[in-house]
Amino acid sequence: MSPGFFAPEGSNQHAGESSGPGTRQPHPSAPTAGAPGAPHLHPSAPTAGAPGTPHLHPSAPTAGAPGTPHLHPSAPTAGAPGTPHLERRIGLASAVSLNMMYMIGVGPFITLPLIVAAMGGSQALLGWLLGAAIAVCDGLVWAELGAAMPEAGGSYTFLREIYGREGAGRFASFLYIFQLGFSAPLSMATGCIGFAEFASFLVPGLRQPLFAAWPNGAHWTNVLAAGAVAVIVGMLYRDIQAILRTAWVLWAGVMAAMGIVLIAGFTHFHPALLHIPPHAFSFSPGFFAGLGSATLIATYDYWGYYNVCFLGGEIRDPGRTIPRAIIISIAVVAALYIAMNVSVLGVIPARQMGRTVVAEMVARTLGPRAAVLIACLIMWTAFSSVFALLMGYSRVPYAAALDGNYFRIFAHLHPKRNFPDFALLALGGVAAVFCFLRLAQVIAALVVIRIVLQYLLQQVGVILLRVRRPDLPRPFRIWFYPLPPLLALAGFLFILFSRPESRRDLLYALAIALAGSILYLMRAQKRHEWPFRIRPADAR
């Protein structure tokens, strides 16, 4: 591994960039001398006032601001006017809309038949309810951590501070960023694959293979999915205000899609179709395996309530806005999901559900023209979710690189529009490649990787932080603590070990963890970081 990939300890310039006058330096890692009595910044911290230094808006948490949650002197601080920085311009309404776009996406429209097949009938609603319960418990954990640490990066910041900025937290946060290079593009790929699936409802020829001699290989839907990624990257290659205006338009399309499905279902509802088969709740090994598979997919569909935490450095009044956005989005989306599933199950028998069941249901109830409209709106919804997802996740490697804990090229900001351009392009490129995988395979791998390398660490971590840092300002505290993190932990473990395919998916996660660990240890040894840090006594 070339040392040029990471910001070397004690260095204050990037690969290919000189330190001459006027040069942008996204991650100066050397400590700077301040005025007498000024707090001394950590070597990896962005410094205030350095020309061209990326930093958070002046409303970001800074050392010594009264009432502001503050974890460490190296928190990003405001720099000189006119330098590239993230700006706190996202309010509660925009935060909720971005969360909901990411949460709804194409998931509930395309995974409904998968959940019904896993449970064997209308009892699949139990999977949706269990997924909602896990989302609420996990969402409260995100709300407390996000309000206490409102910085760009989300989980990266949480894990770093929980497990120790100069200790195991450096490893845990690096491992999180490393897996994000796989899991974030996988998540984007699911949305774009769903987009292409509903496009094939309108244009059946898209289901044909690219090469007739390779019928089980790539199809034209895969090509369309990859193309959708490229369009979304182009739409996000703008400043935050233009993006927020686009987000509201996309959100309106998402709500229109949900509204048409609910109207179509409940105006042609047949309660008899919701009949639960005898012995559906036999509590046999097969029942729990099916429930585990259904809950895994439902959990995937609910994910996204935390998107606002990745944008923490751009949220206005984050101590109040972040928890409210998470709780509101979970409550609204859970109600919409359960209502939508009941409406579809009341029209289409469980055994007749195909991949585009929602469009088929609207065709039966409102006619073929309405089916075309709903297919277009679902494509719109899928597109919107990937838009919100890529916007949020592109800020995470940026925050890690700015902290000197990831490939430093990811710390680059667009010189005029102030967004992490390289991170955006890199994640979008990997997502385009993943669009050539199968949907069910992508979802399972995504969920297991995230649970093992992110969610389990956060559930344990929020409890550890309460013990180690009881004095940390927490604008929001988990309701009924410590039950939510413990229940979320139990739910995630159930998903991991209740399914027959869990061993295969766990191997994916462990392979990524092993590769990331080797890469981190190689770098840590070279830079004398944890666990190879040289103590003063050892140096003598």
Side-chain angles (χ1 to χ4, degrees):
M1 173 61 62
S2 169
F5 279 112
F6 293 97
E9 192 168 29
S11 168
N12 70 338
Q13 65 186 70
H14 287 270
E17 296 178 348
S18 68
S19 56
T23 301
R24 295 180 66 244
Q25 298 175 5
H27 177 55
S29 56
T32 60
H40 179 69
L41 297 182
H42 186 270
S44 66
T47 56
T53 303
H55 57 276
L56 298 181
H57 190 265
S59 62
T62 58
T68 302
H70 179 61
L71 290 177
H72 194 277
S74 65
T77 58
T83 57
H85 59 274
L86 299 179
E87 300 177 346
R88 293 191 179 275
R89 303 175 75 174
I90 302 177
L92 177 61
S94 294
V96 171
S97 70
L98 287 169
N99 270 9
M100 288 182 62
M101 281 196 301
Y102 180 10
M103 292 176 73
I104 294 176
V106 76
F109 300 108
I110 203 166
T111 61
L112 194 156
L114 299 178
I115 294 179
V116 172
M119 292 294 290
S122 58
Q123 66 270 27
L125 286 171
L126 182 60
W128 287 104
L129 292 171
L130 186 54
I134 294 173
V136 170
C137 293
D138 184 52
L140 292 173
V141 172
W142 281 90
E144 177 170 310
L145 295 175
M149 295 172 262
E151 302 176 25
S155 290
Y156 171 80
T157 302
F158 305 160
L159 297 175
R160 181 192 66 195
E161 299 297 341
I162 287 168
Y163 295 101
R165 177 183 286 263
E166 299 302 328
R170 197 156 183 84
F171 169 62
S173 57
F174 174 84
L175 199 59
Y176 163 71
I177 292 294
F178 184 76
Q179 67 83 25
L180 192 76
F182 298 90
S183 64
L186 281 171
S187 188
M188 289 183 274
T190 62
C192 290
I193 292 171
F195 172 90
E197 288 285 351
F198 275 90
S200 70
F201 176 83
L202 302 175
V203 185
L206 290 171
R207 296 175 181 171
Q208 298 298 318
L210 279 174
F211 306 103
W214 191 21
N216 295 324
H219 291 65
W220 286 105
T221 50
N222 300 111
V223 176
L224 180 60
V229 173
V231 173
I232 291 167
V233 170
M235 292 176 66
L236 285 169
Y237 217 77
R238 298 177 297 163
D239 64 84
I240 188 66
Q241 281 299 102
I243 289 171
L244 291 178
R245 288 193 293 269
T246 304
W248 277 110
V249 175
L250 295 174
W251 181 84
V254 172
M255 291 298 99
M258 294 295 291
I260 291 175
V261 172
L262 293 176
I263 291 171
F266 285 114
T267 55
H268 299 78
F269 191 72
H270 301 286
L273 292 177
L274 292 178
H275 175 71
I276 297 175
H279 311 297
F281 297 101
S282 60
F283 302 110
S284 62
F287 169 81
F288 286 107
L291 181 60
S293 297
T295 306
L296 179 146
I297 299 170
T299 299
Y300 155 77
D301 287 332
Y302 282 113
W303 276 353
Y305 44 83
Y306 45 74
N307 193 43
V308 67
C309 294
F310 299 123
L311 301 167
E314 297 163 88
I315 301 295
R316 292 199 304 263
D317 191 12
R320 291 159 55 98
T321 301
I322 289 175
R324 291 180 178 183
I326 291 172
I327 293 167
I328 291 171
S329 57
I330 291 175
V332 173
V333 171
L336 288 173
Y337 278 2
I338 293 170
M340 188 191 78
N341 280 269
V342 170
S343 70
V344 174
L345 285 167
V347 175
I348 305 287
R351 298 185 181 278
Q352 296 180 18
M353 289 189 175
R355 290 186 298 179
T356 55
V357 61
V358 174
E360 293 163 10
M361 184 268 285
V362 173
R364 289 191 188 188
T365 55
L366 302 181
R369 291 185 178 179
V372 170
L373 174 62
I374 195 62
C376 292
L377 285 174
I378 292 173
M379 291 169 63
W380 179 298
T381 301
F383 197 85
S384 302
S385 71
V386 180
F387 178 92
L389 189 156
L390 182 53
M391 178 185 173
Y393 276 128
S394 63
R395 273 63 176 172
V396 184
Y398 160 78
L402 203 64
D403 198 36
N405 201 21
Y406 201 55
F407 303 104
R408 58 188 172 187
I409 187 63
F410 283 90
H412 188 269
L413 284 178
H414 191 281
K416 294 182 179 179
R417 298 171 181 171
N418 302 338
F419 66 90
D421 49 359
F422 185 83
L424 189 73
L425 293 170
L427 291 178
V430 178
V433 174
F434 286 163
C435 285
F436 290 85
L437 301 176
R438 290 186 299 111
L439 181 66
Q441 180 183 7
V442 170
I443 291 175
L446 164 66
V447 172
V448 172
I449 290 169
R450 285 272 178 85
I451 288 175
V452 172
L453 300 177
Q454 178 182 358
Y455 290 92
L456 296 183
L457 292 174
Q458 280 187 195
Q459 308 309 315
V460 174
V462 74
I463 297 173
L464 286 177
L465 195 63
R466 284 280 190 112
V467 174
R468 294 176 177 175
R469 297 290 307 276
D471 58 332
L472 174 68
R474 292 174 172 86
F476 175 86
R477 288 178 173 267
I478 296 172
W479 302 335
F480 307 111
Y481 177 86
L483 282 179
L486 293 177
L487 291 174
L489 192 62
F492 289 137
L493 290 174
F494 171 71
I495 290 172
L496 285 180
F497 297 107
S498 61
R499 302 171 304 110
E501 306 87 359
S502 60
R503 181 178 299 179
R504 178 200 65 194
D505 298 328
L506 280 170
L507 285 176
Y508 292 154
L510 293 176
I512 291 173
L514 180 61
S517 298
I518 292 172
L519 184 61
Y520 172 82
L521 292 172
M522 290 171 59
R523 186 199 67 169
Q525 185 176 36
K526 186 177 184 66
R527 295 170 57 174
H528 305 295
E529 295 176 343
W530 187 92
F532 304 105
R533 184 175 299 279
I534 298 177
R535 300 177 182 177
D538 297 335
R540 291 195 297 268

